[in-house]
């Protein structure tokens, strides 16, 4: 694609090679194919249905971003019927693989009872565990859950302190 080592620049040939690699099972190229199809801009809308097979293949190989994106698509019904049970399982798998942002999605599904039994205690555990990494986005959601009293009495002061820490780390929520 870049035209290195004396080769002429050729983005079409590069795309063909990326597609071949994805078809051969390269998880990063499967994610790249899905991401390309999900990108918006320049008058293009995301093509969720076309991206779905690539996301499925990458998620089957535990690609963390693919697990999250596929879970969101299934949760929202962007490419067909809503499948909360599967979305919840994908989010929980991404959490198990150490992807802290997945805890926010999983926690909301656990707290609301989408895709399985309601479990606000487990939702709070996931948020607290992931917030220990000082992830601003997770901290923001933890603060919200504490203020709303997901698993205990609402605590506005404690929630505010968590939000302040999230802001110190760069949260703009």
């Amino acid at each position: 694609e870049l035209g290195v080592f004396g080769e002429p620049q050729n983005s079409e040939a590069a795309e063909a090679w990326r597609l071949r690699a994805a078809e051969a099972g390269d998880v990063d190229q499967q994610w790249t194919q899905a991401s390309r199809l999900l990108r918006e801009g320049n008058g293009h809308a995301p093509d969720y249905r076309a991206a779905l097979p690539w996301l499925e293949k990458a998620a089957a190989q535990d690609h963390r971003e693919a697990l999250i994106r596929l879970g969101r698509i299934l949760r929202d019904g962007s490419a067909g019927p809503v499948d909360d049970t599967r979305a919840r399982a994908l989010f929980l798998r991404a959490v198990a693989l150490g992807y802290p942002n997945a805890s926010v999605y999983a926690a909301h599904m656990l707290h609301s009872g989408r895709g399985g039994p309601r479990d606000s205690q487990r939702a709070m555990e996931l948020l607290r565990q992931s917030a220990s990494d000082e992830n601003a986005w997770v901290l923001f959601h933890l603060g919200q859950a504490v203020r709303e009293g997901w698993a205990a009495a609402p605590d506005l002061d404690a929630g505010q302190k968590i939000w302040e820490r999230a802001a110190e780390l760069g949260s703009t929520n």
Side-chain angles (χ1 to χ4, degrees):
E1 181 171 30
L2 300 175
V4 294
F5 304 117
E7 295 292 323
Q9 187 172 351
N10 187 337
S11 59
E12 288 178 17
E15 181 57 33
W17 280 106
R18 281 194 287 272
L19 181 58
R20 285 180 65 188
E23 290 169 342
D26 183 288
V27 69
D28 292 322
Q29 291 307 317
Q30 291 166 345
W31 170 245
T32 297
Q33 292 300 318
S35 296
R36 185 179 54 78
L37 292 163
L38 294 170
R39 197 171 304 130
E40 343 183 17
N42 297 329
H44 296 262
D47 189 344
Y48 296 104
R49 290 186 188 272
L52 207 56
W54 294 117
L55 288 171
E56 292 280 4
K57 290 177 185 201
Q61 296 184 66
D62 286 338
H63 189 281
R64 295 183 310 177
E65 288 89 356
L67 288 163
I68 293 295
R69 193 61 192 260
L70 180 57
R72 289 175 50 204
I73 288 170
L74 294 172
R75 178 200 64 192
D76 300 340
S78 304
V82 168
D83 187 345
D84 284 340
T85 303
R86 184 131 184 267
R88 181 171 166 164
L90 290 165
F91 295 145
L92 289 170
R93 179 68 185 145
V95 170
L97 291 169
Y99 194 49
N101 289 356
S103 66
V104 171
Y105 298 110
H108 280 280
M109 294 201 75
L110 286 162
H111 174 65
S112 67
R114 286 184 67 178
R118 186 168 192 240
D119 190 345
S120 295
Q121 283 296 132
R122 177 78 173 119
M124 289 299 291
E125 288 171 18
L126 290 178
L127 289 174
R128 281 196 170 92
Q129 178 184 356
S130 293
S132 68
D133 292 338
E134 295 273 289
N135 179 306
W137 193 62
V138 175
L139 280 166
F140 170 80
H141 287 277
L142 175 60
Q144 180 180 11
V146 168
R147 289 177 60 91
E148 292 176 5
W150 279 18
D155 189 336
L156 300 179
D157 291 334
Q160 183 66 35
K161 285 180 180 160
I162 295 169
W163 276 353
E164 288 169 5
R165 182 62 186 144
E168 289 171 7
L169 293 171
S171 175
T172 58
N173 291 329

